[in-house]
C-alpha cells in the first residue's frame, strides 16, 4: 500500500473488515461501528480509502466503497463514479454497493451518472436528450435491459437521497413502474425535491394505484405539494 499506518492499526482494520463478512449480526454491527469510529476520528485517511476501494479482496474493497460514500468529499465521489464506470459490466451486487455509496454521498454530481444506468441521458442544460438508445446487438440490448431492471430500485433510492430536482424531473415514467416499491420511492423523491409538476399523476395514484402504501404516499405528497385554497392562506 502507498498509505502507511501503524502496523497495529492495519491489523485492527483487517480484523474488523473480516468481521463484516463473518460471524453473527452483533459482531458485524460492532465491527461496523468500530470502523465508523476510525473514519470519524481521521485514523483512516481518505487516501487509504481511495486505495482500498481497488483492493483485490472483495470484503475490503466493498467496505472502502461504503466508507467513501459516508465520507462524501469530492475526491471520494469522483472515485465512486470512476469505479461505477469501471464495473458497469461486472458483478451487479458490486455495482449496487457503489450506487448505494453514491446515494449516501448526496452529491448532485452523481445524478447524471446514475440516470445513465437507467438509460437516461441528461444534457448540459439538464434536459433529456436521449433514452434507452437502440442497439444493433439484441443479446447486448437484452443484457443491458436486465441489468437496468436489477439496478432500478437501488438507483431510485440513491437519487432520493441526492434530491436533485433536475434529475427527478426525468423520472416521470417510473411513476408507472410495475414494482410498487419503486413507485413509492419515486413519490418520496418528488416530495423531497418539492416538485409540483407531477401533482396530476399523484392525485390519480392516490385514488387508483393498486397498492395501498403507494396510494397513501401519493395522498401524503399531494397534501404537502398542493397549495392551500385562497381562503385558507390567510
Amino acid at each position: 500500500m502507498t498509505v502507511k499506518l501503524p502496523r497495529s492499526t492495519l491489523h485492527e482494520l483487517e480484523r474488523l473488515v473480516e468481521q463484516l463478512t463473518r460471524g453473527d449480526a452483533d459482531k458485524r454491527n460492532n465491527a461496523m461501528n468500530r470502523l465508523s469510529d476510525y473514519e470519524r476520528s481521521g485514523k483512516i485517511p481518505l487516501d487509504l480509502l481511495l486505495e482500498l476501494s481497488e483492493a483485490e479482496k472483495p470484503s475490503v474493497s466493498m467496505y472502502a466503497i461504503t466508507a467513501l460514500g459516508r465520507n462524501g468529499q469530492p475526491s471520494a465521489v469522483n472515485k465512486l463514479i470512476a469505479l461505477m464506470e469501471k464495473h458497469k459490466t461486472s458483478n451487479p451486487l458490486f455495482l449496487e454497493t457503489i450506487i448505494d455509496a453514491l446515494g449516501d454521498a448526496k452529491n448532485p454530481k452523481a445524478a447524471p451518472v446514475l440516470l445513465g444506468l437507467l438509460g437516461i441521458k441528461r444534457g448540459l442544460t439538464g434536459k433529456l436528450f436521449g433514452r434507452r438508445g437502440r442497439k444493433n446487438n439484441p443479446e447486448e440490448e437484452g443484457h443491458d435491459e436486465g441489468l437496468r431492471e436489477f439496478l432500478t430500485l437501488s438507483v431510485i433510492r440513491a437519487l432520493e437521497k441526492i434530491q436533485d430536482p433536475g434529475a427527478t424531473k426525468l423520472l416521470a415514467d417510473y411513476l408507472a413502474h410495475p414494482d410498487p416499491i419503486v413507485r413509492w420511492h419515486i413519490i418520496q423523491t418528488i416530495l423531497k425535491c418539492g416538485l409540483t409538476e407531477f401533482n396530476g399523476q399523484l392525485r390519480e395514484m392516490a385514488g387508483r394505484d393498486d397498492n395501498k402504501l403507494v396510494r397513501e404516499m401519493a395522498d401524503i405528497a399531494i397534501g404537502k405539494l398542493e397549495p392551500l385554497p385562497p381562503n385558507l392562506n390567510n
Side-chain angles (χ1 to χ4, degrees):
M1 288 186 185
T2 303
V3 179
K4 299 297 184 182
L5 289 178
R7 182 170 296 180
S8 60
T9 302
L10 284 173
H11 286 328
E12 173 71 357
L13 292 178
E14 290 175 359
R15 184 183 67 81
L16 292 171
V17 170
E18 282 296 319
Q19 285 188 7
L20 290 180
T21 57
R22 299 181 181 180
D24 56 30
D26 288 340
K27 287 184 178 180
R28 292 197 299 271
N29 288 334
N30 290 337
M32 191 68 255
N33 290 335
R34 183 65 174 149
L35 286 166
S36 296
D37 288 341
Y38 268 120
E39 293 166 26
R40 286 191 292 268
S41 69
K43 291 182 179 179
I44 307 181
L46 177 57
D47 285 347
L48 178 60
L49 293 175
L50 294 172
E51 189 174 334
L52 291 178
S53 68
E54 303 252 23
E56 292 183 6
K57 199 168 187 177
S59 60
V60 175
S61 60
M62 292 179 79
Y63 157 69
I65 287 167
T66 61
L68 288 174
R70 291 188 293 273
N71 181 280
Q73 293 186 44
S75 57
V77 174
N78 289 339
K79 183 64 174 181
L80 290 171
I81 291 174
L83 286 169
M84 194 178 77
E85 294 291 340
K86 179 180 178 180
H87 293 285
K88 269 186 178 179
T89 58
S90 66
N91 187 334
L93 293 175
F94 191 77
L95 188 56
E96 195 172 35
T97 301
I98 300 172
I99 293 169
D100 291 343
L102 284 170
D104 290 337
K106 299 179 181 179
N107 190 319
K109 183 177 180 179
V113 186
L114 291 168
L115 287 171
L117 290 177
L118 299 178
I120 300 172
K121 295 181 180 180
R122 183 175 174 182
L124 295 177
T125 61
K127 295 181 179 179
L128 182 66
F129 67 81
R131 180 182 174 88
R132 300 180 184 180
R134 294 179 180 176
K135 296 181 180 291
N136 295 325
N137 187 333
E139 184 176 341
E140 183 181 354
E141 185 175 1
H143 174 270
D144 288 352
E145 187 65 29
L147 181 62
R148 184 179 297 125
E149 287 302 318
F150 177 82
L151 296 174
T152 293
L153 183 57
S154 293
V155 171
I156 297 300
R157 284 174 169 167
L159 291 170
E160 179 184 340
K161 293 178 182 178
I162 293 172
Q163 296 181 35
D164 180 341
T168 303
K169 289 178 182 179
L170 303 180
L171 299 174
D173 289 354
Y174 288 87
L175 285 170
H177 194 276
D179 186 343
I181 301 176
V182 170
R183 300 199 299 275
W184 190 92
H185 280 284
I186 287 290
I187 296 171
Q188 281 275 61
T189 308
I190 291 169
L191 179 57
K192 290 177 179 179
C193 290
L195 298 176
T196 58
E197 291 93 328
F198 303 99
N199 283 3
Q201 289 169 271
L202 293 177
R203 278 194 299 272
E204 183 174 350
M205 293 175 74
R208 298 184 181 180
D209 196 275
D210 59 11
N211 183 275
K212 180 181 178 182
L213 292 178
V214 173
R215 292 197 301 272
E216 291 175 350
M217 182 50 61
D219 189 56
I220 290 171
I222 282 295
K224 294 183 177 181
L225 293 172
E226 288 231 312
L228 292 172
N231 61 325
L232 297 179
N233 279 329
N234 298 324

